[in-house]
Amino acid sequence: MDDGGIARQLRDRWLTQAGAELTVEVVRRLLSGRGRSDLDLGTVDGRTDLRFLPSLNLPDLDEPGRWQAFRDVELSHLDFTGATLPGVRFHGVRIVDCVFRDASCPDWRMWSSQVSDCDFAGASLRESALGTWQEGKSNDWVGVGLRRADLRGCFWKGSLIDRCDFVRSRPRAYD
């Protein structure tokens, strides 16, 4: 099967009734920091396979609107390649060893959060506040790949940026 066929298959798995129910359960568990090992999601390079996850804006969650706000949890070892994750909010969150290749992540907002050893190659993070400062705490970006990422309109003041790769990102970092 070609790469286009694989991508289509990965997208389609979320479009069935069972896939929609699985999406809701995945989001609930990510928001609460609970485990996912019993959900039969599979793995990709040691990360939970959430490739091409559709938008997290799901109307049937228990608390409408809450899906977007991750608070004081760790998101680790997840593969969100090609996922659609607009408008997500992070408060005191650690994002570790996650892949967001070619994901759509516009309008993210982060406060007192850390992103480390992640890959955002080709991702769109347009109009996001990624480097904020609040109550004496910054966002830290350490060892993050942002090659070819769309960073137009991003806010990067008041953050630690260490060992990050901005090659061919738009606009290039520090221009």
Side-chain angles (χ1 to χ4, degrees):
M1 183 182 306
D2 63 24
D3 286 345
I6 293 169
R8 190 171 28 264
Q9 184 179 29
L10 290 168
R11 274 188 198 95
D12 288 351
R13 70 182 169 154
W14 302 107
L15 299 178
T16 65
Q17 179 63 35
E21 292 168 6
L22 181 59
T23 301
V24 170
E25 186 59 25
V26 165
V27 172
R28 282 190 176 129
R29 291 189 189 200
L30 291 174
L31 287 167
S32 68
R34 292 190 344 235
R36 311 165 293 281
S37 60
D38 62 320
L39 292 181
D40 192 31
L41 294 164
T43 60
V44 177
D45 297 327
R47 296 178 191 92
T48 301
D49 186 359
L50 299 175
R51 293 176 294 172
F52 296 96
L53 186 75
S55 176
L56 301 180
N57 191 5
L58 303 168
D60 52 344
L61 286 176
D62 294 334
E63 299 177 48
R66 186 175 180 273
W67 68 270
Q68 320 182 10
F70 290 89
R71 295 183 185 278
D72 303 315
V73 296
E74 180 173 299
L75 302 175
S76 60
H77 314 297
L78 304 168
D79 189 334
F80 288 105
T81 295
T84 304
L85 307 167
V88 180
R89 304 312 191 229
F90 301 94
H91 302 269
V93 174
R94 287 181 31 114
I95 304 173
V96 180
D97 186 35
C98 291
V99 173
F100 295 88
R101 284 184 209 116
D102 300 313
S104 176
C105 308
D107 190 35
W108 277 17
R109 300 289 184 261
M110 302 181 96
W111 299 274
S112 305
S113 294
Q114 293 82 41
V115 182
S116 61
D117 303 313
C118 292
D119 181 0
F120 285 85
S124 174
L125 288 154
R126 291 185 73 161
E127 306 298 327
S128 293
L130 304 173
T132 61
W133 183 267
Q134 182 182 30
E135 298 176 5
K137 295 180 183 175
S138 69
N139 292 325
D140 299 340
W141 290 73
V142 179
V144 178
L146 292 145
R147 286 178 171 262
R148 299 179 293 98
D150 187 346
L151 304 173
R152 290 177 285 177
C154 286
F155 182 83
W156 286 97
K157 299 199 188 300
S159 62
L160 168 72
I161 300 173
D162 183 27
R163 294 178 287 115
C164 293
D165 181 354
F166 290 92
V167 171
R168 295 180 39 218
S169 63
R170 291 180 299 168
R172 289 190 316 265
Y174 311 113
D175 277 357

